[in-house]
Amino acid sequence: MIRQAAYRVGSLWRPTLGYSGVRTPLVLLSSPHGARLQSTATARPLITKAPSDSYVEKYFPFSSDNALRARYTNQFGGIRFGLILEDLDLMAATVAYKHASHPEDPPERSVIQLPSVDEPLNKEESAMILSKKKDGQITDPKAAEKMAHLINSKLGPMRIVTAAVNRIELYEELRADMDLRMRGWVTFVGSTSMEVRILVDTFPKDANGNTSPTARNIFIGLFTMVARDKHDVAVKVNPLVPQTDVEKKWYALGLENKASRQQLAASSLERNPPTDAERALMHQLYLEDHAMQQQEKQNDGSDPRSGYVYMDQTQYQTTVLMHPQRRNIYHKIFGGYLMRSAFELAWNTAILYCHARPLIRAVDEITFLRPVELGSVVIYEAEVIYVHAEDPKTVQVKVEAFNVDAKTGHRTRTNEFHFTFSVDAPYLKELMPRTYEEMLKCILIIIRDITSHPRYLR
């Protein structure tokens, strides 16, 4: 039986979150503008907690639940990773909420349901949408007051926001015949931020179809959650004290991750000119571009492997109207839906570059810069920014989301996404930048690979 899995960390066993039988999971505290706590949370004393206090797990019995498998299966017989991203986002917010909660919180605030895509808007919600001006703010004071009361009566004025998805790393392909177990903890806490670690396991089957009681980890995810009050001011969260050796290791990794992020931010090429080493990389890219141009002149077209693709030739975009059916309980667009939409565009971009099926291997970084309002017109723009043409062949795709004012055409960047795909193809053409900005994008990928990935997860 799946629920008899032998692998557990310390005392981290808690009652499970069963599959609810609908597309959206039973428990929501969604991002990017997710859970809100009791209004007295900022005044009451903080409570020291252990990682086990925030533990949440959820099962996905794909091998036995035909309806569940049908909803998640892609055209290749695998699992739609975009839908898994939605589930990860929900779990990260739920875990963070459990850590930030207080014994005085009423029980009805411990489980919140994400509005179903089939659920109609009530009167207050309709009034709120109709009262918005172009920047998404409510202009009718009565509608604003009603909406504030509606939200605060459910969860209170403190909210937990997904600031970033630091890293998700997959070790094998997700197949639709796998049973998955998703487990999450808060494993590091700053003053107002929380690092949520999510492990996803599967349960191997033998030749007779019997399920092993021992789980095998197939991917890991790290989310950064921050606490804000109703004025978007940072709020302190409960401190964390690790108990077991594994928890202490995770906490130490959290410290390293925080220092690594700060170092990368301080040395960002958007703030500082390139270093000598980075300028050398740019010159190397220039020389490679020049050599490939000379080779292309000599190519008679008989060798399909020859040649290269310029970065600006890999750009694709899609435009989406954000319907209220994709809202979270705070009447913003659900962050998991934004991630799924970006991933699907990234996958399309990768397959059009590779001309072969790409497999998702990592989500390198996702940042939530500002909320996306209901009714917004959002443009997703994707491009290939790095290619490793030798084995193992990989392609990295960057996606940016922009909120567009339909009247003025003004664009505001709301999200940035990075995805890495592996490709089993006979060959990949080299990717070449030809502008200073494109060279910087390539260098940033190389720097991120060298400095940050190993310490995030291990």
Side-chain angles (χ1 to χ4, degrees):
M1 294 293 292
I2 294 175
R3 297 179 185 271
Q4 296 175 346
Y7 175 62
R8 297 177 189 164
V9 179
S11 59
L12 301 186
W13 182 260
R14 287 291 184 276
T16 63
L17 297 175
Y19 173 66
S20 62
V22 296
R23 162 77 271 279
T24 51
L26 176 63
V27 173
L28 155 113
L29 298 159
S30 84
S31 73
H33 314 285
R36 300 192 182 190
L37 305 183
Q38 205 171 2
S39 60
T40 57
T42 55
R44 64 195 181 195
L46 298 176
I47 302 172
T48 300
K49 292 191 174 184
S52 58
D53 294 323
S54 61
Y55 179 74
V56 174
E57 70 178 38
K58 179 176 175 59
Y59 288 89
F60 297 82
F62 290 115
S63 66
S64 58
D65 189 327
N66 294 333
L68 177 65
R69 185 171 61 252
R71 277 188 290 272
Y72 278 76
T73 301
N74 61 30
Q75 69 272 33
F76 300 103
I79 294 174
R80 292 179 60 188
F81 184 68
L83 297 181
I84 295 295
L85 282 175
E86 292 189 352
D87 296 315
L88 291 169
D89 194 31
L90 286 167
M91 172 163 279
T94 304
V95 169
Y97 174 82
K98 288 191 70 176
H99 177 81
S101 64
H102 193 276
E104 296 177 3
D105 290 336
E108 61 269 19
R109 292 182 183 170
S110 61
V111 178
I112 298 92
Q113 179 70 46
L114 179 67
S116 167
V117 294
D118 300 320
E119 181 180 336
L121 297 171
N122 58 36
K123 291 182 179 179
E124 290 85 358
E125 293 171 327
S126 298
M128 182 271 295
I129 294 174
L130 292 174
S131 301
K132 285 188 174 184
K133 57 182 180 180
K134 65 180 181 180
D135 60 1
Q137 301 300 315
I138 297 176
T139 55
D140 182 352
K142 292 184 178 180
E145 182 179 354
K146 287 182 179 180
M147 185 51 56
H149 176 75
L150 175 68
I151 292 175
N152 291 337
S153 65
K154 294 181 179 180
L155 286 176
M158 183 194 285
R159 45 183 160 174
I160 295 173
V161 180
T162 303
V165 180
N166 302 324
R167 176 76 170 174
I168 299 173
E169 189 167 306
L170 293 87
Y171 307 129
E172 59 183 274
E173 180 184 356
L174 301 180
R175 303 191 314 275
D177 60 350
M178 286 179 167
D179 291 326
L180 300 183
R181 177 182 63 181
M182 192 178 291
R183 302 176 293 154
W185 306 258
V186 170
T187 54
F188 177 79
V189 170
S191 177
T192 62
S193 64
M194 296 163 280
E195 182 179 85
V196 176
R197 179 178 293 262
I198 298 178
L199 306 183
V200 178
D201 309 317
T202 189
F203 300 86
K205 295 184 178 182
D206 60 23
N208 298 322
N210 298 317
T211 300
S212 169
T214 304
R216 181 179 74 247
N217 179 246
I218 57 174
F219 74 86
I220 301 175
L222 287 181
F223 289 68
T224 296
M225 319 294 291
V226 294
R228 297 287 186 264
D229 66 12
K230 60 183 178 181
H231 303 295
D232 202 31
V233 176
V235 176
K236 290 186 176 181
V237 296
N238 294 323
L240 183 75
V241 177
Q243 304 295 320
T244 69
D245 290 341
V246 171
E247 293 170 0
K248 292 175 181 177
K249 175 185 175 183
W250 287 346
Y251 192 88
L253 285 172
L255 282 171
E256 293 184 26
N257 295 342
K258 181 179 179 180
S260 176
R261 289 192 296 270
Q262 291 173 342
Q263 180 181 358
L264 286 173
S267 60
S268 170
L269 288 171
E270 295 180 355
R271 300 181 181 179
N272 305 285
T275 64
D276 289 343
E278 290 161 353
R279 284 193 290 270
L281 280 173
M282 294 176 68
H283 185 64
Q284 180 182 344
L285 289 172
Y286 164 76
L287 293 177
E288 290 179 359
D289 182 20
H290 180 72
M292 287 187 178
Q293 289 185 28
Q294 297 302 315
Q295 182 180 357
E296 186 71 11
K297 291 179 181 179
Q298 301 174 6
N299 180 33
D300 60 2
S302 60
D303 184 3
R305 298 170 183 254
S306 64
Y308 52 91
V309 179
Y310 278 121
M311 189 179 293
D312 59 12
Q313 295 174 327
T314 69
Q315 296 173 350
Y316 297 91
Q317 73 173 35
T318 184
T319 303
V320 181
L321 176 62
M322 296 296 164
H323 294 286
Q325 287 76 15
R326 296 300 181 183
R327 70 195 184 279
N328 60 25
I329 200 169
Y330 302 103
H331 302 275
K332 312 294 183 182
I333 295 300
F334 171 43
Y337 174 70
L338 298 174
M339 288 195 289
R340 172 162 69 93
S341 301
F343 167 76
E344 291 174 350
L345 176 60
W347 191 92
N348 292 339
T349 302
I351 196 172
L352 291 173
Y353 184 91
C354 305
H355 305 293
R357 179 191 175 190
L359 294 175
I360 181 65
R361 289 306 181 199
V363 179
D364 297 287
E365 185 180 4
I366 294 176
T367 53
F368 295 90
L369 305 174
R370 48 186 50 85
V372 176
E373 303 288 344
L374 305 185
S376 299
V377 175
V378 173
I379 294 179
Y380 294 92
E381 294 183 348
E383 66 176 339
V384 178
I385 59 174
Y386 189 77
V387 172
H388 188 270
E390 300 177 358
D391 293 331
K393 299 180 178 69
T394 57
V395 174
Q396 296 199 30
V397 179
K398 177 181 178 180
V399 181
E400 292 181 293
F402 297 88
N403 195 343
V404 183
D405 188 315
K407 293 183 179 180
T408 66
H410 177 72
R411 293 163 35 124
T412 304
R413 194 165 65 121
T414 60
N415 301 85
E416 185 175 312
F417 313 82
H418 295 264
F419 302 96
T420 299
F421 300 90
S422 64
V423 183
D424 183 11
Y427 66 92
L428 286 180
K429 288 192 174 184
E430 295 283 355
L431 180 74
M432 290 304 300
R434 55 180 164 186
T435 67
Y436 179 77
E437 180 182 0
E438 291 173 350
M439 286 186 179
L440 291 182
K441 290 177 183 178
C442 291
I443 291 174
L444 285 171
I445 291 299
I446 296 171
I447 293 172
R448 185 184 296 118
D449 281 341
I450 294 172
T451 60
S452 62
H453 286 179
R455 65 168 58 99
Y456 267 140
L457 302 173
R458 301 303 182 186

